[in-house]
Amino acid sequence: MAALPLYIMLSSSDRDKLQLASMIASVAAVSERPVHVFVSMGAIKVFDKNASGNARYADSAFNAELCEKNAPDPVDMFGQGKMLGDMTMWACSMVLDVLGWDESNLVDDLFDGQMGLTKFLSDAEEGQLISM
């Protein structure tokens, strides 16, 4: 029996939430479980291709600890998950409109396109949904 697809919705720029989401997504993808990631609200700015390192993330005490311990960058981990498994990443079309952005503003070779929330939630009915 094939594993149910995993749908992850990101809306926060907190590194600890994105760290956990990237670990869940990568492990699921390399475990031959289809993963679909929807990036919306404040989380989209983390994927600004002009941002780098710790400056991508909102300040938090745990963020500082993750940096101090050289934890892998969540953006890099999403990229590794895509390379090693069946993972797609979608940018929220409404948030891109609000920011006046298009896909060229996002980290190169990470996103598969834009999608609306209604379509993502409709697709997620076929699997397991996690929101962070």
Side-chain angles (χ1 to χ4, degrees), residues 56-115:
R56 295 178 178 275
Y57 306 101
D59 286 333
S60 74
F62 200 69
N63 182 15
E65 290 188 40
L66 288 167
C67 291
E68 185 179 306
K69 302 291 183 187
N70 295 319
D73 189 292
V75 173
D76 293 340
M77 290 186 65
F78 281 116
Q80 291 169 3
K82 281 187 65 94
M83 286 189 314
L84 300 173
D86 182 6
M87 183 190 303
T88 57
M89 292 196 62
W90 303 100
C92 175
S93 56
M94 184 205 76
V95 169
L96 291 179
D97 284 346
V98 167
L99 294 173
W101 287 10
D102 59 28
E103 293 170 48
S104 69
N105 295 94
L106 302 173
V107 172
D108 293 329
D109 303 322
L110 191 57
F111 285 86
D112 296 279
Q114 300 181 31
M115 183 181 287

Side-chain angles (χ1 to χ4, degrees), residues 3-22:
L4 284 176
L6 180 61
Y7 293 84
I8 301 174
M9 184 167 22
L10 304 176
S11 61
S12 172
S13 60
D14 291 345
R15 182 172 175 164
D16 52 332
K17 292 177 183 173
L18 293 167
Q19 191 81 41
L20 181 59
S22 68

